[in-house]
Amino acid sequence: MADSTASAPSTAATPAERPVYIVGGGPGGLAAAHALRTRGIRAVVLEKSDAVGASWRRHYDRLHLHTTRRLSALPGLPMPRRFGRWVSRDDVVRYLEKYAEHHDLEIVTGVEVSRIERTPDGTGWLLHATGGRQLTGAAVVVATGYNHTPRIPDWPGRDAFPGEFLHASQYRNAEPFSGRDVLVVGVGNTGAEIAVDLAEGGAKRVRLAVRTVPHILRRSTAGWAAQYTGVLVRRLPVGLVDRLARPVSRLSVPDLSAHGLPRPDTGLYRRVTEGSIPVQDVGLIDAVRRGRVEVVAAVDAFEDGAVLLADGTRVTPDTVIAATGYTRALEGLVGHLDVLDPRGKPVVHGARAPRHTPGLYFTGFTNPISGMLRELAIDAQKIARAIARQAGPEVSRLPA
């Protein structure tokens, strides 16, 4: 595995020496690199930080995968049994490090790609990178990640809020918030888990601001992981899955209407297709029922030192933690290529390259019900097959 002192190949390479460049050293990028190597194609991973799995290293301390260990491994290397069924953040990082080493992947750290465009002769791809580098590749796989750049809504008055304000990406554990009144904004998996962590970690009061009531699932019921169901139903019609999910939800999840979390009036799988993944319960249900996490209305604005909620209520927390998601931040990288939809996501992903940009692939920009890591592993194999099938003499091959 290359280290941070390695140098990326230069544009002096002849067309027959062009590698496939993979932008991003997370699980999607590493899996794609391995899949390409197994087909004899040279793949170079460009990672802007100083180590693989950078985004995983920044997650909060208590994070565990909501997908099972066996269905979260990348191609060619199982996750060790000692990691347990629900793998911790630190073990995910260890696994990614081991994966890169085990497969002897070619990784160049400290290199950030700012723009991707076609080569002037149209035979490959030109990557503009850190330090004025211009790298020419036969194909490019963009794997910069679903959770790339923290998104903070433009709430009126937020800059004048006298309390502490931070995005969930800056949260590590509950210790700094012991004895404090904390408002968590956003009830995705991150917001729900941070709220529980705060309640268990000594915060004086924890409120959870909810705009759209989520679907809540047990991570596992009688040993059956929710992910297994996600895998089974992912290709069924949306309406059918929604109908099947209703009775299951009623049997496994209590009615929390009295606590501010009524059952959603839209189908579970319909929400998934719109980009909203169900909340996996890792303590939220119990915390809400016991009053340790109070559900309140969405945040509308900040005003006179207080937070104004959508129902007109004013609250004055010591700290506001915005679990309001991320953007893909692909506009500068590929926005000029007309490959993004109005929400900034790639119009295609996996083995399908946009018709007018052959050789440009995207992985890791969907959030599937069957599990992100599982789908990244599948996409890696499909992308490698597509590149190998279409590869011409300009693709750099590994020694036999």
Side-chain angles (χ1 to χ4, degrees), residues 3-79:
D3 61 23
S4 59
T5 62
S7 298
S10 72
T11 50
T14 66
E17 297 173 334
R18 290 175 180 172
V20 174
Y21 281 111
I22 298 170
V23 184
L30 299 182
H34 167 62
L36 286 162
R37 281 183 63 88
T38 62
R39 288 165 175 78
I41 296 174
R42 184 184 175 207
V44 179
V45 178
L46 304 175
E47 167 55 46
K48 69 176 182 179
S49 71
D50 60 359
V52 299
S55 64
W56 285 93
R57 298 172 191 273
R58 295 192 296 267
H59 285 310
Y60 47 93
D61 294 348
R62 72 174 277 158
L63 177 69
H64 284 68
L65 294 180
H66 294 154
T67 53
T68 66
R69 168 179 53 83
R70 301 182 78 176
L71 293 185
S72 300
L74 302 179
L77 186 68
M79 285 188 172

Side-chain angles (χ1 to χ4, degrees), residues 324-344:
T324 45
Y326 297 78
T327 63
R328 277 18 89 196
L330 292 169
E331 288 78 7
L333 191 67
V334 296
H336 54 285
L337 297 173
D338 192 28
V339 294
L340 303 178
D341 68 16
R343 295 179 296 174

Side-chain angles (χ1 to χ4, degrees), residues 5-167:
T5 62
S7 298
S10 72
T11 50
T14 66
E17 297 173 334
R18 290 175 180 172
V20 174
Y21 281 111
I22 298 170
V23 184
L30 299 182
H34 167 62
L36 286 162
R37 281 183 63 88
T38 62
R39 288 165 175 78
I41 296 174
R42 184 184 175 207
V44 179
V45 178
L46 304 175
E47 167 55 46
K48 69 176 182 179
S49 71
D50 60 359
V52 299
S55 64
W56 285 93
R57 298 172 191 273
R58 295 192 296 267
H59 285 310
Y60 47 93
D61 294 348
R62 72 174 277 158
L63 177 69
H64 284 68
L65 294 180
H66 294 154
T67 53
T68 66
R69 168 179 53 83
R70 301 182 78 176
L71 293 185
S72 300
L74 302 179
L77 186 68
M79 285 188 172
R81 183 182 295 271
R82 69 177 183 276
F83 284 1
R85 193 182 197 197
W86 313 107
V87 182
S88 72
R89 176 204 64 186
D90 289 348
D91 281 337
V92 170
V93 172
R94 292 186 185 99
Y95 173 75
L96 295 178
E97 292 173 339
K98 181 63 177 178
Y99 191 86
E101 177 186 357
H102 177 79
H103 292 304
D104 193 27
L105 302 182
E106 188 173 352
I107 301 169
V108 186
T109 58
V111 175
E112 182 174 7
V113 178
S114 57
R115 183 179 174 90
I116 299 170
E117 58 190 18
R118 293 292 282 175
T119 54
D121 62 5
T123 63
W125 290 95
L126 183 63
L127 289 73
H128 299 267
T130 305
R133 293 180 178 89
Q134 293 188 1
L135 312 173
T136 305
V140 178
V141 181
V142 179
T144 50
Y146 191 84
N147 295 336
H148 187 276
T149 301
R151 185 184 73 87
I152 299 176
D154 187 21
W155 287 304
R158 183 181 68 81
D159 291 343
F161 178 61
E164 181 182 19
F165 182 95
L166 64 152
H167 187 268

